[in-house]
Amino acid sequence: QDYFTDENRVLKKDPQQDYHLEYAMENSTHTILAFSRELHTCDTNDKSITESTVRVIWAYHHKDMGEAGQNYHGSNRGTKSLRLLNPEKEEVLSASLPYFDLTNKDVPVPDKDTTYWCQMFKIPIQHEKHHVTKVEPLIQKGHENLVHHILLYQCSSNLNDSVLDYGHECYHPNMPDSFLTCETVIFAWAIGGEGFTYPPHIGLSIGTAADPQFVLMEVHYDNPSYTEGLIDNSGLRLIYTPVLRKYDAGVIEAGLWVSLFHNIPPGMPEFVSEGHCTLECLEEALGAERPAGIHVFAVLLHAHLAGRAIKMRHFRNGEEQKLLAYDDEFDFNFQEFQYLKEERTILPGDNLITECHYSTVDRNRMTWGGLSTRNEMCLSYLLYYPRINLTRCASIPDIMEQLQFIGVKEIYRPVRQTWPFIIKSPKQYRNLSFMDAMNKFKWSRSEGVSYNELVLKLPVNVRCSKTDNAEWSIQGMTALPPEIERPYKTEPVICSTSPCLRCSIFLTLFVVYVTVSTIGNIGPFV
């Protein structure tokens, strides 16, 4: 039956029954319920199912429901973030394909809530071109709920083997400088994910001088019970083939350059930041390397803990195209590449805008762009082909008008551009850094709204980077953001009352029962 709940957690039967049982099976250990419903029921008691992340909440009791109503589930409950409309691409892979593993070696997981552990690896394939066709998670048995997500970054090729000596906690003041050269995400996995399969005509190239030599694996450990003595050996498996595919995959980081120039006032229920992959950068890079355009087939949208929603907007000749990707229910702990339903072509002169929505209602100080999870980012990683020499297409908002907004009149101008610069006047900010002054300013919600309107109109500094931090000539130039409609105008929802193949979803629920007497003889269930 179709039930819903209110803010008092009381279950109520929905007068509009939109969930339909397809079949049910039960044996001594499992109950299986398969059901379907329309994506958009237009029932105020239902959530629409879109391409965004969905929080699936589950609870059950080991006894069937009696006449008195539902039995309380007790501890038999949980939640999981899923993308119901983004199934993994199915591809038949030969079991004989070679692979290599990138795994942590006996990492001691601290007895604290959250740990990010970073380890550098060298790609073992060095002398002949191959294509990676699939990346799979290797989660240590029993650690299925401990390992929350894994990111793999491409690092500078100018490193040497000395960086491989040891791992270190990520985003730590004492972490090795070599970690800072690892900026482009080439793979992302989150709890519940099954890995990433490249489409049949595309592969991640390894083994040549232009390919990743060194990679950094970041593992997020989630230990809310502060369990002591945990040792982890999880990681990734990269399956590759010597049979080359037609195209090499590339990755472009688009959005806001990670810096203190990106900042969000405290106490804001909604604040929007925009990162621009400008037409000037795409005109130069694509015009020189691929005038016919590149084809995007998957996107990873990335923010941190204050992130609530992200959109990747696409403009051509001033006209907005269909969204490239979006997630209106962003979950920092569930980050994976989304396959696009159809490949999208990006042409020279197109504009891409990464639009990030944040909430800082629970914060009383400024939130700054940065690497820590309490800092923020606003990025999109585009998986595309054929690979060109463009790794970053981003922007930085102008800083001087941000200073003027809080009343700064003059700064000490150093001989060289150093950070943080110091404020000269007015008196209340004298000798303070930009960060201190922004925190000293008395932010109200109305001031925050006015500041948001200002930063969205500011000129931007163009970042247009090649491999190993080389730059296209447009790098560092100032550009004006395009005139765009805000907020984004969503397509109208079409409600349906009759089943159809394209507008309904089919779900299967498995409930596993384990008797106490057998728990000691089996592995954990996920």
Side-chain angles (χ1 to χ4, degrees), residues 215-246:
V215 293
L216 182 76
M217 185 174 73
E218 172 193 300
V219 180
H220 170 194
Y221 293 111
D222 187 36
N223 186 14
S225 58
Y226 299 87
T227 304
E228 297 180 2
L230 294 171
I231 303 294
D232 184 66
N233 292 279
S234 299
L236 300 171
R237 172 165 292 173
L238 281 71
I239 300 166
Y240 63 96
T241 176
V243 181
L244 298 184
R245 297 182 165 192
K246 187 172 183 181

PDB file of all heavy atoms in Angstrom, residues 215-246:
ATOM      1  N   VAL A 215      48.957   8.723  -9.758  1.00  0.00           N
ATOM      2  CA  VAL A 215      47.577   9.026  -9.362  1.00  0.00           C
ATOM      3  C   VAL A 215      47.506   9.042  -7.832  1.00  0.00           C
ATOM      4  O   VAL A 215      48.300   8.388  -7.145  1.00  0.00           O
ATOM      5  CB  VAL A 215      46.562   8.003  -9.925  1.00  0.00           C
ATOM      6  CG1 VAL A 215      46.475   8.102 -11.440  1.00  0.00           C
ATOM      7  CG2 VAL A 215      46.925   6.580  -9.496  1.00  0.00           C
ATOM      8  N   LEU A 216      46.563   9.812  -7.327  1.00  0.00           N
ATOM      9  CA  LEU A 216      46.325   9.889  -5.883  1.00  0.00           C
ATOM     10  C   LEU A 216      44.950   9.311  -5.581  1.00  0.00           C
ATOM     11  O   LEU A 216      43.960   9.724  -6.194  1.00  0.00           O
ATOM     12  CB  LEU A 216      46.391  11.334  -5.414  1.00  0.00           C
ATOM     13  CG  LEU A 216      46.202  11.553  -3.904  1.00  0.00           C
ATOM     14  CD1 LEU A 216      47.484  11.165  -3.165  1.00  0.00           C
ATOM     15  CD2 LEU A 216      45.846  13.011  -3.602  1.00  0.00           C
ATOM     16  N   MET A 217      44.899   8.357  -4.678  1.00  0.00           N
ATOM     17  CA  MET A 217      43.617   7.778  -4.265  1.00  0.00           C
ATOM     18  C   MET A 217      43.226   8.353  -2.901  1.00  0.00           C
ATOM     19  O   MET A 217      43.981   8.267  -1.940  1.00  0.00           O
ATOM     20  CB  MET A 217      43.700   6.251  -4.190  1.00  0.00           C
ATOM     21  CG  MET A 217      42.354   5.593  -3.890  1.00  0.00           C
ATOM     22  SD  MET A 217      42.416   3.783  -3.983  1.00  0.00           S
ATOM     23  CE  MET A 217      43.339   3.401  -2.480  1.00  0.00           C
ATOM     24  N   GLU A 218      42.056   8.956  -2.865  1.00  0.00           N
ATOM     25  CA  GLU A 218      41.508   9.519  -1.624  1.00  0.00           C
ATOM     26  C   GLU A 218      40.371   8.618  -1.156  1.00  0.00           C
ATOM     27  O   GLU A 218      39.413   8.382  -1.896  1.00  0.00           O
ATOM     28  CB  GLU A 218      40.994  10.933  -1.857  1.00  0.00           C
ATOM     29  CG  GLU A 218      40.240  11.534  -0.682  1.00  0.00           C
ATOM     30  CD  GLU A 218      39.483  12.786  -1.075  1.00  0.00           C
ATOM     31  OE1 GLU A 218      40.126  13.753  -1.534  1.00  0.00           O
ATOM     32  OE2 GLU A 218      38.238  12.815  -0.936  1.00  0.00           O
ATOM     33  N   VAL A 219      40.486   8.108   0.073  1.00  0.00           N
ATOM     34  CA  VAL A 219      39.438   7.255   0.641  1.00  0.00           C
ATOM     35  C   VAL A 219      38.822   7.964   1.844  1.00  0.00           C
ATOM     36  O   VAL A 219      39.545   8.406   2.747  1.00  0.00           O
ATOM     37  CB  VAL A 219      40.013   5.888   1.080  1.00  0.00           C
ATOM     38  CG1 VAL A 219      38.907   5.015   1.669  1.00  0.00           C
ATOM     39  CG2 VAL A 219      40.663   5.175  -0.107  1.00  0.00           C
ATOM     40  N   HIS A 220      37.505   8.075   1.822  1.00  0.00           N
ATOM     41  CA  HIS A 220      36.773   8.671   2.939  1.00  0.00           C
ATOM     42  C   HIS A 220      36.285   7.544   3.844  1.00  0.00           C
ATOM     43  O   HIS A 220      35.481   6.711   3.430  1.00  0.00           O
ATOM     44  CB  HIS A 220      35.590   9.484   2.401  1.00  0.00           C
ATOM     45  CG  HIS A 220      34.639   9.951   3.451  1.00  0.00           C
ATOM     46  ND1 HIS A 220      33.381  10.439   3.155  1.00  0.00           N
ATOM     47  CD2 HIS A 220      34.740  10.017   4.800  1.00  0.00           C
ATOM     48  CE1 HIS A 220      32.754  10.757   4.277  1.00  0.00           C
ATOM     49  NE2 HIS A 220      33.567  10.508   5.283  1.00  0.00           N
ATOM     50  N   TYR A 221      36.785   7.525   5.082  1.00  0.00           N
ATOM     51  CA  TYR A 221      36.347   6.545   6.076  1.00  0.00           C
ATOM     52  C   TYR A 221      35.298   7.185   6.987  1.00  0.00           C
ATOM     53  O   TYR A 221      35.502   8.279   7.501  1.00  0.00           O
ATOM     54  CB  TYR A 221      37.531   6.063   6.922  1.00  0.00           C
ATOM     55  CG  TYR A 221      38.547   5.256   6.146  1.00  0.00           C
ATOM     56  CD1 TYR A 221      39.820   5.762   5.895  1.00  0.00           C
ATOM     57  CD2 TYR A 221      38.238   3.989   5.658  1.00  0.00           C
ATOM     58  CE1 TYR A 221      40.753   5.028   5.186  1.00  0.00           C
ATOM     59  CE2 TYR A 221      39.161   3.248   4.947  1.00  0.00           C
ATOM     60  CZ  TYR A 221      40.418   3.775   4.716  1.00  0.00           C
ATOM     61  OH  TYR A 221      41.330   3.034   4.002  1.00  0.00           O
ATOM     62  N   ASP A 222      34.188   6.483   7.162  1.00  0.00           N
ATOM     63  CA  ASP A 222      33.085   6.960   7.979  1.00  0.00           C
ATOM     64  C   ASP A 222      32.975   6.034   9.199  1.00  0.00           C
ATOM     65  O   ASP A 222      32.571   4.886   9.073  1.00  0.00           O
ATOM     66  CB  ASP A 222      31.791   6.928   7.152  1.00  0.00           C
ATOM     67  CG  ASP A 222      30.632   7.568   7.880  1.00  0.00           C
ATOM     68  OD1 ASP A 222      30.846   8.551   8.584  1.00  0.00           O
ATOM     69  OD2 ASP A 222      29.498   7.072   7.731  1.00  0.00           O
ATOM     70  N   ASN A 223      33.339   6.560  10.369  1.00  0.00           N
ATOM     71  CA  ASN A 223      33.408   5.746  11.581  1.00  0.00           C
ATOM     72  C   ASN A 223      32.620   6.423  12.713  1.00  0.00           C
ATOM     73  O   ASN A 223      33.201   6.860  13.720  1.00  0.00           O
ATOM     74  CB  ASN A 223      34.881   5.546  11.973  1.00  0.00           C
ATOM     75  CG  ASN A 223      35.072   4.585  13.134  1.00  0.00           C
ATOM     76  OD1 ASN A 223      34.153   3.859  13.501  1.00  0.00           O
ATOM     77  ND2 ASN A 223      36.269   4.592  13.719  1.00  0.00           N
ATOM     78  N   PRO A 224      31.290   6.547  12.540  1.00  0.00           N
ATOM     79  CA  PRO A 224      30.496   7.308  13.512  1.00  0.00           C
ATOM     80  C   PRO A 224      30.466   6.690  14.907  1.00  0.00           C
ATOM     81  O   PRO A 224      30.182   7.378  15.882  1.00  0.00           O
ATOM     82  CB  PRO A 224      29.094   7.331  12.887  1.00  0.00           C
ATOM     83  CG  PRO A 224      29.062   6.140  11.985  1.00  0.00           C
ATOM     84  CD  PRO A 224      30.460   5.979  11.473  1.00  0.00           C
ATOM     85  N   SER A 225      30.763   5.397  15.015  1.00  0.00           N
ATOM     86  CA  SER A 225      30.761   4.746  16.330  1.00  0.00           C
ATOM     87  C   SER A 225      32.147   4.806  16.993  1.00  0.00           C
ATOM     88  O   SER A 225      32.333   4.247  18.073  1.00  0.00           O
ATOM     89  CB  SER A 225      30.310   3.290  16.206  1.00  0.00           C
ATOM     90  OG  SER A 225      31.156   2.581  15.307  1.00  0.00           O
ATOM     91  N   TYR A 226      33.100   5.478  16.345  1.00  0.00           N
ATOM     92  CA  TYR A 226      34.450   5.673  16.900  1.00  0.00           C
ATOM     93  C   TYR A 226      35.115   4.336  17.259  1.00  0.00           C
ATOM     94  O   TYR A 226      35.768   4.202  18.289  1.00  0.00           O
ATOM     95  CB  TYR A 226      34.410   6.593  18.129  1.00  0.00           C
ATOM     96  CG  TYR A 226      33.890   7.984  17.825  1.00  0.00           C
ATOM     97  CD1 TYR A 226      32.524   8.258  17.859  1.00  0.00           C
ATOM     98  CD2 TYR A 226      34.765   9.001  17.473  1.00  0.00           C
ATOM     99  CE1 TYR A 226      32.044   9.523  17.557  1.00  0.00           C
ATOM    100  CE2 TYR A 226      34.298  10.280  17.181  1.00  0.00           C
ATOM    101  CZ  TYR A 226      32.930  10.532  17.215  1.00  0.00           C
ATOM    102  OH  TYR A 226      32.460  11.785  16.913  1.00  0.00           O
ATOM    103  N   THR A 227      34.921   3.364  16.383  1.00  0.00           N
ATOM    104  CA  THR A 227      35.509   2.040  16.616  1.00  0.00           C
ATOM    105  C   THR A 227      37.038   2.114  16.556  1.00  0.00           C
ATOM    106  O   THR A 227      37.600   2.726  15.640  1.00  0.00           O
ATOM    107  CB  THR A 227      34.994   1.038  15.564  1.00  0.00           C
ATOM    108  OG1 THR A 227      33.561   1.028  15.605  1.00  0.00           O
ATOM    109  CG2 THR A 227      35.517  -0.365  15.841  1.00  0.00           C
ATOM    110  N   GLU A 228      37.698   1.493  17.512  1.00  0.00           N
ATOM    111  CA  GLU A 228      39.152   1.506  17.570  1.00  0.00           C
ATOM    112  C   GLU A 228      39.739   0.265  16.897  1.00  0.00           C
ATOM    113  O   GLU A 228      39.085  -0.770  16.783  1.00  0.00           O
ATOM    114  CB  GLU A 228      39.615   1.563  19.037  1.00  0.00           C
ATOM    115  CG  GLU A 228      39.188   2.823  19.772  1.00  0.00           C
ATOM    116  CD  GLU A 228      39.669   2.826  21.218  1.00  0.00           C
ATOM    117  OE1 GLU A 228      40.365   1.858  21.609  1.00  0.00           O
ATOM    118  OE2 GLU A 228      39.358   3.774  21.954  1.00  0.00           O
ATOM    119  N   GLY A 229      40.979   0.401  16.450  1.00  0.00           N
ATOM    120  CA  GLY A 229      41.735  -0.750  15.963  1.00  0.00           C
ATOM    121  C   GLY A 229      41.403  -1.207  14.560  1.00  0.00           C
ATOM    122  O   GLY A 229      41.802  -2.302  14.158  1.00  0.00           O
ATOM    123  N   LEU A 230      40.691  -0.384  13.770  1.00  0.00           N
ATOM    124  CA  LEU A 230      40.334  -0.779  12.411  1.00  0.00           C
ATOM    125  C   LEU A 230      41.539  -0.625  11.478  1.00  0.00           C
ATOM    126  O   LEU A 230      42.223   0.404  11.486  1.00  0.00           O
ATOM    127  CB  LEU A 230      39.172   0.066  11.888  1.00  0.00           C
ATOM    128  CG  LEU A 230      37.817  -0.121  12.594  1.00  0.00           C
ATOM    129  CD1 LEU A 230      36.821   0.938  12.131  1.00  0.00           C
ATOM    130  CD2 LEU A 230      37.273  -1.525  12.326  1.00  0.00           C
ATOM    131  N   ILE A 231      41.799  -1.656  10.675  1.00  0.00           N
ATOM    132  CA  ILE A 231      42.874  -1.637   9.673  1.00  0.00           C
ATOM    133  C   ILE A 231      42.236  -1.911   8.315  1.00  0.00           C
ATOM    134  O   ILE A 231      41.514  -2.902   8.148  1.00  0.00           O
ATOM    135  CB  ILE A 231      43.934  -2.710   9.969  1.00  0.00           C
ATOM    136  CG1 ILE A 231      44.517  -2.522  11.370  1.00  0.00           C
ATOM    137  CG2 ILE A 231      45.036  -2.664   8.910  1.00  0.00           C
ATOM    138  CD1 ILE A 231      45.321  -1.261  11.559  1.00  0.00           C
ATOM    139  N   ASP A 232      42.495  -1.033   7.338  1.00  0.00           N
ATOM    140  CA  ASP A 232      41.797  -1.168   6.050  1.00  0.00           C
ATOM    141  C   ASP A 232      42.763  -1.365   4.887  1.00  0.00           C
ATOM    142  O   ASP A 232      43.860  -0.796   4.858  1.00  0.00           O
ATOM    143  CB  ASP A 232      40.937   0.063   5.770  1.00  0.00           C
ATOM    144  CG  ASP A 232      40.130  -0.107   4.496  1.00  0.00           C
ATOM    145  OD1 ASP A 232      39.241  -0.978   4.473  1.00  0.00           O
ATOM    146  OD2 ASP A 232      40.404   0.603   3.509  1.00  0.00           O
ATOM    147  N   ASN A 233      42.302  -2.180   3.928  1.00  0.00           N
ATOM    148  CA  ASN A 233      43.070  -2.469   2.711  1.00  0.00           C
ATOM    149  C   ASN A 233      42.196  -2.315   1.462  1.00  0.00           C
ATOM    150  O   ASN A 233      42.379  -3.036   0.480  1.00  0.00           O
ATOM    151  CB  ASN A 233      43.651  -3.884   2.776  1.00  0.00           C
ATOM    152  CG  ASN A 233      44.718  -4.029   3.836  1.00  0.00           C
ATOM    153  OD1 ASN A 233      45.863  -3.667   3.624  1.00  0.00           O
ATOM    154  ND2 ASN A 233      44.340  -4.542   5.006  1.00  0.00           N
ATOM    155  N   SER A 234      41.256  -1.401   1.491  1.00  0.00           N
ATOM    156  CA  SER A 234      40.348  -1.204   0.353  1.00  0.00           C
ATOM    157  C   SER A 234      41.031  -0.393  -0.749  1.00  0.00           C
ATOM    158  O   SER A 234      42.076   0.221  -0.548  1.00  0.00           O
ATOM    159  CB  SER A 234      39.074  -0.501   0.810  1.00  0.00           C
ATOM    160  OG  SER A 234      38.390  -1.267   1.775  1.00  0.00           O
ATOM    161  N   GLY A 235      40.399  -0.384  -1.924  1.00  0.00           N
ATOM    162  CA  GLY A 235      40.943   0.390  -3.036  1.00  0.00           C
ATOM    163  C   GLY A 235      40.150   0.173  -4.309  1.00  0.00           C
ATOM    164  O   GLY A 235      38.930  -0.021  -4.276  1.00  0.00           O
ATOM    165  N   LEU A 236      40.870   0.179  -5.432  1.00  0.00           N
ATOM    166  CA  LEU A 236      40.230   0.110  -6.745  1.00  0.00           C
ATOM    167  C   LEU A 236      40.918  -0.938  -7.617  1.00  0.00           C
ATOM    168  O   LEU A 236      42.114  -1.202  -7.469  1.00  0.00           O
ATOM    169  CB  LEU A 236      40.304   1.473  -7.453  1.00  0.00           C
ATOM    170  CG  LEU A 236      39.648   2.661  -6.760  1.00  0.00           C
ATOM    171  CD1 LEU A 236      40.011   3.951  -7.480  1.00  0.00           C
ATOM    172  CD2 LEU A 236      38.127   2.481  -6.708  1.00  0.00           C
ATOM    173  N   ARG A 237      40.152  -1.497  -8.540  1.00  0.00           N
ATOM    174  CA  ARG A 237      40.688  -2.393  -9.571  1.00  0.00           C
ATOM    175  C   ARG A 237      40.436  -1.755 -10.943  1.00  0.00           C
ATOM    176  O   ARG A 237      39.298  -1.409 -11.273  1.00  0.00           O
ATOM    177  CB  ARG A 237      40.028  -3.759  -9.500  1.00  0.00           C
ATOM    178  CG  ARG A 237      40.395  -4.703 -10.660  1.00  0.00           C
ATOM    179  CD  ARG A 237      40.022  -6.139 -10.345  1.00  0.00           C
ATOM    180  NE  ARG A 237      40.883  -6.648  -9.262  1.00  0.00           N
ATOM    181  CZ  ARG A 237      40.703  -7.819  -8.674  1.00  0.00           C
ATOM    182  NH1 ARG A 237      39.698  -8.603  -9.034  1.00  0.00           N
ATOM    183  NH2 ARG A 237      41.528  -8.207  -7.704  1.00  0.00           N
ATOM    184  N   LEU A 238      41.496  -1.617 -11.728  1.00  0.00           N
ATOM    185  CA  LEU A 238      41.386  -1.064 -13.075  1.00  0.00           C
ATOM    186  C   LEU A 238      41.583  -2.184 -14.087  1.00  0.00           C
ATOM    187  O   LEU A 238      42.653  -2.808 -14.135  1.00  0.00           O
ATOM    188  CB  LEU A 238      42.422   0.047 -13.294  1.00  0.00           C
ATOM    189  CG  LEU A 238      42.073   1.423 -12.687  1.00  0.00           C
ATOM    190  CD1 LEU A 238      42.173   1.411 -11.169  1.00  0.00           C
ATOM    191  CD2 LEU A 238      42.949   2.523 -13.275  1.00  0.00           C
ATOM    192  N   ILE A 239      40.548  -2.459 -14.849  1.00  0.00           N
ATOM    193  CA  ILE A 239      40.567  -3.510 -15.863  1.00  0.00           C
ATOM    194  C   ILE A 239      40.924  -2.860 -17.201  1.00  0.00           C
ATOM    195  O   ILE A 239      40.325  -1.844 -17.582  1.00  0.00           O
ATOM    196  CB  ILE A 239      39.196  -4.207 -15.936  1.00  0.00           C
ATOM    197  CG1 ILE A 239      38.862  -4.837 -14.571  1.00  0.00           C
ATOM    198  CG2 ILE A 239      39.172  -5.258 -17.037  1.00  0.00           C
ATOM    199  CD1 ILE A 239      37.419  -5.264 -14.425  1.00  0.00           C
ATOM    200  N   TYR A 240      41.895  -3.423 -17.912  1.00  0.00           N
ATOM    201  CA  TYR A 240      42.363  -2.776 -19.131  1.00  0.00           C
ATOM    202  C   TYR A 240      42.538  -3.808 -20.247  1.00  0.00           C
ATOM    203  O   TYR A 240      42.478  -5.019 -20.033  1.00  0.00           O
ATOM    204  CB  TYR A 240      43.663  -2.016 -18.886  1.00  0.00           C
ATOM    205  CG  TYR A 240      44.839  -2.877 -18.479  1.00  0.00           C
ATOM    206  CD1 TYR A 240      45.764  -3.315 -19.417  1.00  0.00           C
ATOM    207  CD2 TYR A 240      45.045  -3.226 -17.146  1.00  0.00           C
ATOM    208  CE1 TYR A 240      46.852  -4.104 -19.052  1.00  0.00           C
ATOM    209  CE2 TYR A 240      46.132  -4.001 -16.760  1.00  0.00           C
ATOM    210  CZ  TYR A 240      47.031  -4.443 -17.729  1.00  0.00           C
ATOM    211  OH  TYR A 240      48.101  -5.205 -17.366  1.00  0.00           O
ATOM    212  N   THR A 241      42.740  -3.297 -21.445  1.00  0.00           N
ATOM    213  CA  THR A 241      42.871  -4.167 -22.606  1.00  0.00           C
ATOM    214  C   THR A 241      43.927  -3.607 -23.560  1.00  0.00           C
ATOM    215  O   THR A 241      44.044  -2.381 -23.716  1.00  0.00           O
ATOM    216  CB  THR A 241      41.531  -4.309 -23.352  1.00  0.00           C
ATOM    217  OG1 THR A 241      41.728  -5.101 -24.531  1.00  0.00           O
ATOM    218  CG2 THR A 241      40.974  -2.961 -23.770  1.00  0.00           C
ATOM    219  N   PRO A 242      44.691  -4.499 -24.223  1.00  0.00           N
ATOM    220  CA  PRO A 242      45.620  -4.030 -25.264  1.00  0.00           C
ATOM    221  C   PRO A 242      44.898  -3.764 -26.591  1.00  0.00           C
ATOM    222  O   PRO A 242      45.482  -3.172 -27.504  1.00  0.00           O
ATOM    223  CB  PRO A 242      46.613  -5.191 -25.395  1.00  0.00           C
ATOM    224  CG  PRO A 242      45.825  -6.399 -24.978  1.00  0.00           C
ATOM    225  CD  PRO A 242      44.852  -5.940 -23.937  1.00  0.00           C
ATOM    226  N   VAL A 243      43.644  -4.217 -26.691  1.00  0.00           N
ATOM    227  CA  VAL A 243      42.850  -3.974 -27.907  1.00  0.00           C
ATOM    228  C   VAL A 243      42.276  -2.563 -27.812  1.00  0.00           C
ATOM    229  O   VAL A 243      41.316  -2.309 -27.075  1.00  0.00           O
ATOM    230  CB  VAL A 243      41.726  -5.018 -28.045  1.00  0.00           C
ATOM    231  CG1 VAL A 243      40.936  -4.762 -29.328  1.00  0.00           C
ATOM    232  CG2 VAL A 243      42.306  -6.427 -28.025  1.00  0.00           C
ATOM    233  N   LEU A 244      42.889  -1.648 -28.537  1.00  0.00           N
ATOM    234  CA  LEU A 244      42.550  -0.236 -28.371  1.00  0.00           C
ATOM    235  C   LEU A 244      41.179   0.086 -28.937  1.00  0.00           C
ATOM    236  O   LEU A 244      40.739  -0.468 -29.954  1.00  0.00           O
ATOM    237  CB  LEU A 244      43.607   0.628 -29.051  1.00  0.00           C
ATOM    238  CG  LEU A 244      45.029   0.500 -28.491  1.00  0.00           C
ATOM    239  CD1 LEU A 244      45.961   1.479 -29.195  1.00  0.00           C
ATOM    240  CD2 LEU A 244      45.052   0.715 -26.985  1.00  0.00           C
ATOM    241  N   ARG A 245      40.517   0.980 -28.242  1.00  0.00           N
ATOM    242  CA  ARG A 245      39.215   1.463 -28.685  1.00  0.00           C
ATOM    243  C   ARG A 245      39.401   2.673 -29.595  1.00  0.00           C
ATOM    244  O   ARG A 245      40.515   3.192 -29.747  1.00  0.00           O
ATOM    245  CB  ARG A 245      38.360   1.789 -27.458  1.00  0.00           C
ATOM    246  CG  ARG A 245      38.106   0.519 -26.636  1.00  0.00           C
ATOM    247  CD  ARG A 245      37.251   0.743 -25.442  1.00  0.00           C
ATOM    248  NE  ARG A 245      36.757  -0.540 -24.926  1.00  0.00           N
ATOM    249  CZ  ARG A 245      35.810  -0.649 -24.019  1.00  0.00           C
ATOM    250  NH1 ARG A 245      35.242   0.430 -23.493  1.00  0.00           N
ATOM    251  NH2 ARG A 245      35.405  -1.843 -23.619  1.00  0.00           N
ATOM    252  N   LYS A 246      38.318   3.156 -30.154  1.00  0.00           N
ATOM    253  CA  LYS A 246      38.427   4.208 -31.168  1.00  0.00           C
ATOM    254  C   LYS A 246      38.905   5.529 -30.579  1.00  0.00           C
ATOM    255  O   LYS A 246      39.668   6.270 -31.210  1.00  0.00           O
ATOM    256  CB  LYS A 246      37.071   4.386 -31.867  1.00  0.00           C
ATOM    257  CG  LYS A 246      37.129   5.333 -33.055  1.00  0.00           C
ATOM    258  CD  LYS A 246      35.822   5.340 -33.829  1.00  0.00           C
ATOM    259  CE  LYS A 246      35.931   6.242 -35.058  1.00  0.00           C
ATOM    260  NZ  LYS A 246      34.663   6.291 -35.823  1.00  0.00           N
TER     261      LYS A 246
END
